[in-house]
């Protein structure tokens, strides 16, 4: 069984969309895969209800985690250790919608590899990176209209039509990822790493999510897989980092916390993945794939992003106007 653990905090609208993207009627080949979805509510003041969560299917269950902490690391570690599945797919930010093939490809990776670490590329919905678009008037109401018009519920790959930016500076599938919007790992390997580092107590977990991917990538016994053509798509919800304007972004506080925990500044692990999957025959997705390939080649040749500047874990690259 695969256990999908998804964390929510005061984002009821986004949660309903995300849970739909984890349902058997949406995910490709889901009826042939044994999986459960655990919706973790990390101390929300306006929590979800068990009935709301279970309405998405019999494999969905709700777990309220009573806490005063704005960091989800304790909740995620606890629920991952309790999960029924031997394989985990972990979403630290429940505002992300999934493309339809993630579960199917992750299942293939778990079946064919002994110790995979499975990463997905995160995107921002809307016209630009949300740290900018929110300041220009992009909001939840406009996003709901955007989602309705693109028809993502009938074809989840249509999310590429309304993705305005990568979520960070890694430039997608062929770059060098900072983090994964949905991270796959065997439960035994997650527990051997002691899960997310509980010292990350900044709101939203700070850099706990990039940290766990980079720690995994430094382990030679784990086989690094990136899912081609798949992604997670961040909905706007007033997130502490993803929706903050640049002059109020908590990045410096996150850096300080990270350095205090690790004793050094954050740095990506330079490790090339194996790839699994293919790109949908959708013009928007193929344009993004072309951009990612060009940027990735530049990075691996020169150690910098496509502009010649070092990429940062905050600050996505806008995708509008791709040739």
């Amino acid at each position: 069984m695969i256990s999908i653990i998804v964390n929510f905090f005061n984002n009821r609208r986004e949660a309903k969309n995300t849970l739909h993207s984890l349902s058997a009627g949406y995910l490709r080949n889901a009826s042939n895969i044994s999986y459960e979805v655990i919706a973790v509510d990390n101390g929300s003041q306006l929590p979800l209800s068990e009935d709301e969560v279970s309405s998405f299917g019999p494999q969905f269950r709700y777990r309220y985690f009573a806490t005063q902490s704005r960091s989800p690391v304790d909740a995620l570690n606890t629920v991952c250790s309790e999960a029924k599945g031997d394989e985990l797919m972990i979403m630290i930010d429940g505002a992300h919608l999934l493309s339809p093939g993630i579960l199917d490809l992750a299942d293939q990776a778990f079946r064919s590899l002994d110790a995979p670490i499975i990463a997905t590329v995160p995107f921002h919905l809307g016209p630009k990176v949300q740290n900018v678009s929110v300041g220009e008037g992009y909001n939840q109401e406009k996003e709901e209209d955007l989602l309705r018009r693109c028809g993502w519920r009938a074809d989840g790959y249509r999310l590429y039509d309304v993705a305005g930016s990568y979520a960070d500076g890694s430039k997608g599938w062929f770059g060098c990822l900072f983090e994964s919007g949905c991270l796959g790992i065997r439960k035994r390997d997650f527990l051997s790493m002691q899960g997310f580092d509980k010292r990350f107590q900044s709101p939203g977990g700070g850099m706990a999510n990039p940290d766990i991917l980079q720690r995994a990538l430094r382990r030679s016994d784990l086989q690094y897989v990136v899912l081609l053509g798949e992604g997670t798509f961040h909905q706007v919800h007033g997130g502490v980092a993803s929706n903050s304007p640049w002059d109020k972004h908590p990045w410096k506080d996150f850096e300080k916390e990270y350095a205090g925990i690790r004793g050094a500044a954050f740095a990506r692990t330079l490790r090339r993945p194996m790839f699994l999957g293919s790109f949908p025959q959708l013009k928007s997705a193929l344009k993004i794939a072309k951009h990612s390939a060009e940027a990735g080649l530049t990075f691996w040749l020169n150690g910098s992003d496509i502009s010649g500047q070092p990429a940062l874990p905050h600050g996505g690259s806008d995708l509008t106007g791709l040739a």
Side-chain angles (χ1 to χ4, degrees), residues 102-121:
I102 286 179
L103 177 64
D104 184 32
L105 291 177
D107 182 59
Q108 292 180 43
F110 282 127
R111 289 176 181 274
S112 60
L113 298 171
D114 180 61
I117 180 77
I118 305 164
T120 56
V121 173

Side-chain angles (χ1 to χ4, degrees), residues 94-264:
H96 283 258
L97 303 175
L98 277 70
S99 59
I102 286 179
L103 177 64
D104 184 32
L105 291 177
D107 182 59
Q108 292 180 43
F110 282 127
R111 289 176 181 274
S112 60
L113 298 171
D114 180 61
I117 180 77
I118 305 164
T120 56
V121 173
F123 296 88
H124 275 189
L125 294 172
K128 298 178 181 179
V129 62
Q130 289 172 1
N131 306 81
V132 174
S133 65
V134 167
E136 297 177 348
Y138 185 67
N139 55 32
Q140 292 168 311
E141 182 179 357
K142 291 182 178 180
E143 185 168 85
E144 275 301 300
D145 183 60
L146 198 69
L147 288 171
R148 178 186 57 79
R149 287 188 288 108
C150 82
W152 75 278
R153 289 175 180 265
D155 178 3
Y157 292 111
R158 288 290 172 187
L159 290 167
Y160 286 113
D161 291 342
V162 291
S165 171
Y166 301 111
D168 59 32
S170 60
K171 300 289 198 303
W173 301 282
F174 301 106
C176 183
L177 296 185
F178 289 100
E179 61 181 325
S180 173
C182 182
L183 181 71
I185 187 171
R186 291 198 189 277
K187 186 176 179 179
R188 67 166 193 239
D189 296 322
F190 179 81
L191 295 177
S192 75
M193 295 174 62
Q194 298 183 312
F196 292 95
D197 194 311
K198 63 183 180 181
R199 292 174 291 180
F200 286 100
Q201 288 298 311
S202 292
M207 295 185 69
N209 203 45
D211 174 73
I212 196 170
L213 176 62
Q214 302 309 315
R215 283 191 289 128
L217 294 184
R218 290 194 288 270
R219 283 183 48 164
S220 60
D221 60 319
L222 298 182
Q223 299 144 311
Y224 180 29
V225 180
V226 167
L227 303 184
L228 280 184
E230 307 296 334
T232 64
F233 299 82
H234 187 266
Q235 304 167 84
V236 66
H237 64 99
V240 66
S242 56
N243 298 158
S244 295
W246 295 134
D247 61 345
K248 296 181 180 179
H249 198 282
W251 172 246
K252 291 188 181 298
D253 292 333
F254 289 175
E255 276 189 317
K256 184 178 179 180
E257 181 182 58
Y258 181 92
I261 293 169
R262 295 286 170 236

Side-chain angles (χ1 to χ4, degrees), residues 12-60:
R12 292 176 59 84
R13 175 195 76 101
E14 296 75 27
K16 292 176 182 179
N17 288 336
T18 295
L19 292 173
H20 177 81
S21 78
L22 293 168
S23 64
Y26 172 89
L27 290 169
R28 188 178 69 203
N29 203 33
S31 61
N32 297 320
I33 300 169
S34 176
Y35 79 104
E36 66 171 351
V37 177
I38 308 174
V40 184
D41 203 321
N42 189 54
S44 294
Q45 288 77 49
L46 296 172
L48 301 168
S49 71
E50 289 190 26
D51 288 344
E52 285 175 313
V53 173
S54 63
S55 70
F56 289 92
Q59 64 272 71
F60 285 74

